[in-house]
Amino acid sequence: MVMDLPECPVCLEAFDGESRIPRVLACGHSTCQICLLHLPKPPLFPCTIRCPACTQLVTYPQSPSSLPKNIDLLRFSSSFPRSSNPKPEPEPKPKPKPRPDFDFLPNLWSHEFYHKWKQWIVPQDSELIKSNQIVSLFKIASFTDNNDNDNNDDDDDDDDEFKYSYVAKVMMILFKMRDECLVELDLILTLASKEYRICSAYGLWYNNKDDYLYLVCERKHTSLLNLTVKDDDYDDISSVGMIGMELYETFSRLHDVGLVSGCTSFSCFVIDGFGHMLIDLNQVLIDGERVQKIIKDSIRSEMDSNDVDLESHVYPSPEVLVELIRKEAVDFDFDMSKCTVGFSSDVWSLACVLLSFLLGMSFVDETRGFLSSYILKLVHGNTCECEELYATWLDNVSGFLDGKLGLEYTLMKELLQKCLCFDPKDRPLVNDVWKFMRGLIIKPKLDVISSSEQKATNESTSRCLVLADLIGSSNKTVKNDETGAMNDSRDDNVVVESDVIEGVRKSSLSCIEMKGHLDCISGLAIGGGFLFSSSFDKTVNVWSLQGSNRVHTFKGHEHKVMAVVYVDSEPPLCISADNGGDIFIWAVNLPFDEKPVKRLNEEKDWRYSGVHSLAVSSTSGYLYTGSGDKSIKAWSLNDYSLSYTMNGHKSVVSTLAVCNEVLYSGSWDGTVRLWCLSDHSPLAVLGEERPVASVLSVATHTHTLVAAYENGSIKVWNKDVFLNSISPHSSSIFSICMEGPWLFSGGWNKTIVVQKLSGNDESGVEEVTEIGSIQGDSVVTALSYWEGRLFVGHADRTIKVYSFGG
């Protein structure tokens, strides 16, 4: 039997005394010298390296040759002959059972969904919205949680209620919208950001005043409505040709990307600084919504043509009207063979807009009356009368053209009449009309692009905005308009169900209050089926996690207890420390002992303010204390002796945390220091260059470090790289805790902010998103999280337990 030689954990080559020399890292593991040269160095911690065996961050010299050789491995390797036989494959180790996940909130949306839509969210206090003259707004959907009342933050009834953040409300509305609506919304946003003939789309904005989500588009150009239409206007045919060319060129661009308007009006067009026309898709949706409302009102009640309030200069094509009525009236019977909505529908509408300029108010009034009567006759099923009405209107328009255009413009008259054909298949193409209008301005001999071919577009895949699901949903409600002049749409709007995320409402946020302390709560720890709470009243209370009742009180401290930790050992321990420098070690067993297992005491002088923070490393077997004398002390859990003292901070060490065998310490000096637990040597200093404020709390999870500051800011590092700095609070943050993707923070403003860290296993955390907040009635002093429950310690002596459930 040949014994396998020791090998490098990176290259899997056997160690030797020449090139594969085993070098011992501070954590005790060995790696060959060649691999150490190629291992990546953390950018913020140049004097460190992650051990490939245990991933611990350890100190690393400039050259691996400075590290000691593993003499025992070299002797062991040289005492055995090398075997050329291949190694047998080791048996796969059984996978550890995954730890059950307990989310504070259900999964509101997927990571991919969030990254797709976050780019379109307009900030709540955007200057674009404040200056509403340069934007147009269209209501998309509503967040109608009846318990949500952001305007009553000072009301006592709002305490202990979960309020979703601005971004969370936008994302939840989008997540609950039907797929068809999302596809259309994505198409509008994408096209409006790329096509130069479409008014730019700024994104999506949520109005907290009326709980509606709006589509925000550009509206800073001159409206076509500013061009007054009179009977004597536009005798110059070249001017009409210029307007017609611009109109049809705009819609040619729209059709190239597969969009059909179906209804146009003067309000849909704006003129930029170069005289080119752009289309406002927001206004197209608004006009379509108003036409749809008129049709719904016509179906629901008996009306005559005088009651149909169809606005002037709004021209829905006949086939669009038929389709809208068919969607609203189930028993509507009409031959749709000649009424297919497509690109030709816009040819009809654009011809009406152009004739408004050419013929003036006589055409406008005639067409408005025709469309009003046409809608009513369609609704009532009088299809024969519809054909007669249409023929009469077309004859009248022809008479107007005869009076306006002479024999010189016979071809123009024929073209416009052809654009108004009832059958869409008999209407000319958009590009053909554009070429004709261009010919009124530029002579054919000088027109170098007159022979260009029309771009092929699959009309079967096109989408009609007026028939879009964004304004055609059956799930609608009428809400009072509270936005004043800022709201361009005053009609029915798509509404997301009031139960935006099933099972998650304010009413489902349960709160249990635990009372027993006589002063401010200073710390919380969980373990062994118990919650341990320390207080300025010099005691540590023990609470049952099942019944939320107090089962014991540890007494003995003579000063304010500043921190408490749980040690999962045999036997399990609870350790508490006070600002007098006393450290009490309590046994966690039933029945609880009245006296501590051990009492430790730090040396102090008149400047000393005792212990401010605690942390435990079960791997290294040490208890760590952060002290007022600026030091960190390591106490052995075996014999409770003081083993190491770590110096470096310039002020009180206010907070400690252990993760991945690295000790993180935060201080009032505004820095966070990292210490190697194997030899307690310093690894790195964060925030030393530009300290912003005192560090009051730190939290860690896997490769993520979060630090909370006295000025209300939070800094996040991921995989040793600084990620972001955010300010979820306006004042001091006294405590933060992190569990998986969830980050909780609370402090002086009595508010608990719930945030979520998004990312994936490969890239790590990418960003922090505020999900919501819980407004309390007292300063938040301590936070802890366990299996879906958030434990909150307050300055008013109470402990509250929040959880979402049925």
Side-chain angles (χ1 to χ4, degrees):
M1 178 178 180
V2 179
M3 184 177 293
D4 292 333
L5 295 176
E7 59 187 23
C8 172
V10 179
C11 63
L12 303 182
E13 294 290 337
F15 290 121
D16 57 40
E18 299 176 357
S19 59
R20 303 291 175 182
I21 303 173
R23 297 289 180 178
V24 183
L25 300 175
C27 59
H29 294 101
S30 297
T31 304
C32 77
Q33 182 170 309
I34 293 179
C35 292
L36 286 175
L37 290 170
H38 297 90
L39 287 178
K41 312 299 186 299
L44 287 182
F45 316 137
C47 296
T48 64
I49 196 171
R50 287 201 178 274
C51 172
C54 65
T55 70
Q56 180 178 338
L57 197 65
V58 296
T59 53
Y60 180 74
Q62 293 182 352
S63 172
S65 59
S66 301
L67 293 171
K69 296 180 181 179
N70 194 325
I71 304 299
D72 292 334
L73 282 180
L74 287 175
R75 288 176 180 174
F76 185 79
S77 299
S78 61
S79 63
F80 289 91
R82 297 181 180 270
S83 173
S84 59
N85 296 329
K87 301 178 183 178
E89 295 185 4
E91 295 182 3
K93 297 181 180 180
K95 295 183 179 180
K97 294 182 179 181
R99 180 183 175 184
D101 293 329
F102 296 92
D103 280 338
F104 183 68
L105 286 169
N107 188 20
L108 302 181
W109 52 75
S110 66
H111 178 69
E112 294 75 18
F113 185 86
Y114 175 76
H115 273 265
K116 175 180 177 62
W117 289 100
K118 69 169 185 175
Q119 60 180 322
W120 296 115
I121 299 179
V122 176
Q124 185 175 9
D125 55 351
S126 173
E127 292 296 329
L128 289 172
I129 307 301
K130 294 178 181 179
S131 306
N132 55 51
Q133 295 180 352
I134 65 173
V135 297
S136 64
L137 303 175
F138 174 71
K139 286 181 178 179
I140 296 176
S142 173
F143 183 96
T144 54
D145 187 339
N146 295 327
N147 294 319
D148 189 12
N149 190 354
D150 293 335
N151 298 323
N152 296 325
D153 291 343
D154 297 331
D155 194 336
D156 293 339
D157 294 337
D158 283 347
D159 290 344
D160 301 329
E161 289 185 348
F162 188 79
K163 296 179 175 62
Y164 290 104
S165 69
Y166 172 79
V167 172
K169 289 180 180 179
V170 174
M171 294 304 301
M172 286 193 292
I173 291 174
L174 292 172
F175 192 72
K176 282 297 294 182
M177 290 174 64
R178 291 183 290 117
D179 291 341
E180 294 84 355
C181 296
L182 289 177
V183 170
E184 292 163 357
L185 188 58
D186 181 52
L187 180 63
I188 291 173
L189 289 168
T190 303
L191 295 179
S193 63
K194 295 179 179 179
E195 293 296 325
Y196 79 94
R197 282 305 185 106
I198 302 175
C199 291
S200 299
Y202 294 118
L204 304 169
W205 176 72
Y206 178 79
N207 187 359
N208 277 318
K209 294 181 179 179
D210 63 0
D211 294 325
Y212 269 97
L213 181 67
Y214 289 85
L215 173 63
V216 184
C217 287
E218 178 187 34
R219 192 70 178 182
K220 61 184 180 181
H221 302 298
T222 304
S223 173
L224 200 61
L225 279 172
N226 294 344
L227 301 179
T228 306
V229 180
K230 297 180 180 179
D231 290 332
D232 296 333
D233 283 349
Y234 302 105
D235 289 328
D236 184 4
I237 298 300
S238 61
S239 299
V240 177
M242 178 65 73
I243 294 173
M245 186 180 69
E246 286 291 328
L247 288 173
Y248 282 92
E249 183 176 343
T250 300
F251 268 76
S252 176
R253 300 286 298 183
L254 198 67
H255 294 171
D256 285 346
V257 294
L259 271 185
V260 176
S261 168
C263 175
T264 56
S265 70
F266 279 27
S267 303
C268 295
F269 299 97
V270 294
I271 305 173
D272 66 10
F274 295 96
H276 296 299
M277 288 191 186
L278 287 73
I279 185 168
D280 182 0
L281 299 185
N282 253 4
Q283 192 60 44
V284 173
L285 293 172
I286 291 170
D287 288 341
E289 195 169 62
R290 289 170 177 165
V291 173
Q292 186 183 67
K293 185 178 185 301
I294 290 173
I295 289 175
K296 289 177 64 176
D297 292 343
S298 302
I299 294 174
R300 294 172 182 173
S301 61
E302 294 293 333
M303 304 172 65
D304 56 37
S305 59
N306 294 326
D307 296 327
V308 178
D309 187 20
L310 188 65
E311 295 187 17
S312 300
H313 313 303
V314 177
Y315 304 112
S317 66
E319 58 270 21
V320 168
L321 292 176
V322 170
E323 185 65 27
L324 286 173
I325 296 173
R326 187 184 65 82
K327 291 177 65 176
E328 293 294 334
V330 179
D331 57 348
F332 181 65
D333 185 17
F334 192 86
D335 183 11
M336 298 291 294
S337 60
K338 295 183 178 181
C339 298
T340 304
V341 176
F343 297 148
S344 296
S345 303
D346 288 339
V347 172
W348 191 95
S349 298
L350 285 175
C352 290
V353 173
L354 188 60
L355 287 170
S356 298
F357 284 102
L358 182 64
L359 303 177
M361 291 305 299
S362 56
F363 173 82
V364 173
D365 295 337
E366 179 71 23
T367 304
R368 181 182 183 184
F370 156 68
L371 290 174
S372 299
S373 300
Y374 192 80
I375 291 174
L376 286 179
K377 293 188 181 301
L378 281 175
V379 168
H380 297 148
N382 301 327
T383 54
C384 294
E385 296 183 19
C386 287
E387 296 178 4
E388 296 177 1
L389 187 66
Y390 193 93
T392 302
W393 169 77
L394 199 57
D395 288 341
N396 293 336
V397 173
S398 178
F400 293 153
L401 287 172
D402 289 338
K404 191 72 175 180
L405 302 175
L407 295 177
E408 181 182 359
Y409 297 105
T410 301
L411 292 179
M412 182 177 181
K413 173 187 173 183
E414 292 176 353
L415 178 68
L416 291 174
Q417 287 179 322
K418 193 174 181 181
C419 290
L420 300 178
C421 286
F422 180 79
D423 191 342
K425 293 188 287 292
D426 294 336
R427 300 169 193 163
L429 299 176
V430 170
N431 278 24
D432 292 338
V433 183
W434 174 81
K435 290 176 184 178
F436 182 88
M437 295 299 167
R438 183 179 176 85
L440 296 176
I441 306 168
I442 302 176
K443 298 299 181 182
K445 292 182 180 179
L446 302 176
D447 192 356
V448 296
I449 62 172
S450 60
S451 61
S452 62
E453 297 182 359
Q454 183 177 2
K455 179 181 177 181
T457 305
N458 188 359
E459 189 167 357
S460 62
T461 61
S462 62
R463 290 181 176 270
C464 179
L465 290 178
V466 176
L467 302 176
D469 288 277
L470 280 174
I471 60 174
S473 173
S474 60
N475 180 19
K476 292 174 180 274
T477 188
V478 179
K479 291 193 70 175
N480 293 329
D481 178 27
E482 300 177 2
T483 58
M486 196 163 56
N487 180 15
D488 287 323
S489 177
R490 298 177 295 278
D491 302 322
D492 297 1
N493 293 273
V494 179
V495 171
V496 177
E497 295 93 316
S498 60
D499 188 7
V500 179
I501 298 294
E502 289 81 0
V504 181
R505 295 168 128 188
K506 286 183 186 176
S507 57
S508 67
L509 177 64
S510 62
C511 177
I512 300 174
E513 190 170 288
M514 300 187 295
K515 296 182 178 180
H517 283 292
L518 302 177
D519 207 338
C520 172
I521 309 299
S522 58
L524 297 171
I526 297 175
F530 300 103
L531 168 70
F532 304 90
S533 60
S534 60
S535 171
F536 287 176
D537 65 6
K538 307 175 186 178
T539 67
V540 175
N541 279 345
V542 184
W543 311 81
S544 170
L545 289 175
Q546 292 184 346
S548 299
N549 58 302
R550 183 173 58 175
V551 297
H552 188 70
T553 299
F554 292 130
K555 298 179 181 179
H557 284 279
E558 299 175 359
H559 303 275
K560 294 179 179 179
V561 183
M562 303 298 293
V564 62
V565 292
Y566 172 79
V567 184
D568 188 10
S569 60
E570 189 56 43
L573 303 173
C574 170
I575 303 178
S576 56
D578 60 40
N579 64 353
D582 291 326
I583 304 168
F584 284 69
I585 301 173
W586 313 88
V588 180
N589 50 30
L590 294 174
F592 289 99
D593 295 331
E594 296 296 331
K595 294 183 179 181
V597 175
K598 187 72 175 179
R599 177 175 177 176
L600 309 175
N601 187 268
E602 292 189 348
E603 295 181 0
K604 53 184 178 295
D605 56 26
W606 64 274
R607 298 168 297 177
Y608 182 61
S609 58
V611 178
H612 286 250
S613 54
L614 293 172
V616 172
S617 171
S618 57
T619 304
S620 64
Y622 286 100
L623 164 72
Y624 299 95
T625 58
S627 306
D629 65 356
K630 313 173 189 177
S631 70
I632 304 166
K633 298 178 176 63
W635 306 78
S636 172
L637 291 175
N638 294 324
D639 57 8
Y640 304 115
S641 61
L642 178 59
S643 303
Y644 299 95
T645 299
M646 292 165 272
N647 294 301
H649 282 295
K650 300 176 182 179
S651 188
V652 173
V653 180
S654 54
T655 178
L656 295 171
V658 171
C659 187
N660 290 336
E661 297 308 310
V662 174
L663 174 65
Y664 300 85
S665 61
S667 170
W668 289 0
D669 63 12
T671 66
V672 177
R673 289 179 178 264
L674 280 65
W675 310 85
C676 176
L677 293 190
S678 59
D679 59 2
H680 298 98
S681 60
L683 296 176
V685 182
L686 306 179
E688 189 176 28
E689 302 80 9
R690 298 176 60 185
V692 293
S694 298
V695 179
L696 301 184
S697 183
V698 296
T700 58
H701 182 76
T702 58
H703 300 296
T704 303
L705 166 67
V706 181
Y709 292 81
E710 189 179 19
N711 64 351
S713 66
I714 289 178
K715 289 188 176 182
V716 183
W717 290 265
N718 180 249
K719 291 186 176 179
D720 311 330
V721 177
F722 176 74
L723 175 65
N724 199 0
S725 179
I726 55 180
S727 298
H729 296 262
S730 58
S731 53
S732 299
I733 303 174
F734 294 138
S735 181
I736 57 174
C737 72
M738 185 165 50
E739 180 69 22
W742 297 103
L743 174 64
F744 306 92
S745 59
W748 187 260
N749 63 356
K750 308 177 184 180
T751 302
I752 304 162
V753 177
V754 181
Q755 302 176 93
K756 194 169 187 180
L757 284 66
S758 59
N760 52 58
D761 295 335
E762 295 183 359
S763 63
V765 175
E766 296 178 359
E767 59 192 320
V768 181
T769 305
E770 182 178 336
I771 302 300
S773 61
I774 304 172
Q775 179 65 45
D777 49 11
S778 181
V779 174
V780 178
T781 55
L783 291 169
S784 188
Y785 184 86
W786 178 79
E787 293 192 355
R789 286 187 275 176
L790 178 65
F791 298 82
V792 184
H794 291 277
D796 65 354
R797 307 172 292 179
T798 62
I799 300 172
K800 292 184 178 181
V801 185
Y802 297 99
S803 63
F804 278 95

